[in-house]
Amino acid sequence: MATIITDQNFEELVVKSGKPVLLDFGAEWCGPCRMVGPVVDELSKEYEGKAIVGKIDVDSNPVISTHFGVMNLPTFLFFKDGQLVDKQVGAVPKHVLANKLEAQMA
């Protein structure tokens, strides 16, 4: 299961994690978000211990969503050393997300 990221734990779990992070911005009402949700959970299992794979609900966590200018859902942000390094907007196949996450591990 993907880690639940909130406005309150973002600093600790993303910025200070020391690991690459894939963060899925979505919402309950978003059809494409529900479609890629299981893919994000699979990636979380596959990269356990090597990376943080998290989900953030934009409706419940407006501070982080606004800070990064998330306007379309789903939006995937990739972090390395606490810094935003890549972005993917829209539902995409699993290998696209995996390849972008792998690039942060190199």
Side-chain angles (χ1 to χ4, degrees):
M1 209 48 193
T3 302
I4 301 301
I5 306 295
T6 65
D7 286 344
Q8 291 73 33
N9 69 14
F10 177 83
E11 180 83 17
E12 177 188 341
L13 297 179
V14 176
V15 176
K16 296 179 179 176
S17 77
K19 296 178 182 172
V21 178
L22 160 55
L23 193 49
D24 170 15
F25 286 78
E28 285 289 321
W29 48 264
C30 169
C33 301
R34 288 194 306 270
M35 189 172 69
V36 298
V39 169
V40 174
D41 288 335
E42 286 175 25
L43 288 169
S44 176
K45 289 178 190 157
E46 291 172 18
Y47 287 93
E48 189 172 350
K50 297 183 276 186
I52 304 294
V53 177
K55 293 182 180 181
I56 186 164
D57 183 304
V58 297
D59 292 330
S60 303
N61 301 283
V63 174
I64 296 302
S65 304
T66 302
H67 177 77
F68 289 105
V70 173
M71 302 294 279
N72 300 302
L73 301 179
T75 292
F76 303 93
L77 299 184
F78 298 83
F79 296 83
K80 184 173 184 176
D81 300 322
Q83 299 295 313
L84 177 63
V85 293
D86 202 355
K87 179 178 183 176
Q88 177 69 51
V89 177
V92 293
K94 181 179 175 181
H95 74 272
V96 172
L97 298 175
N99 289 344
K100 286 180 174 274
L101 186 55
E102 285 285 338
Q104 307 321 315
M105 300 172 86

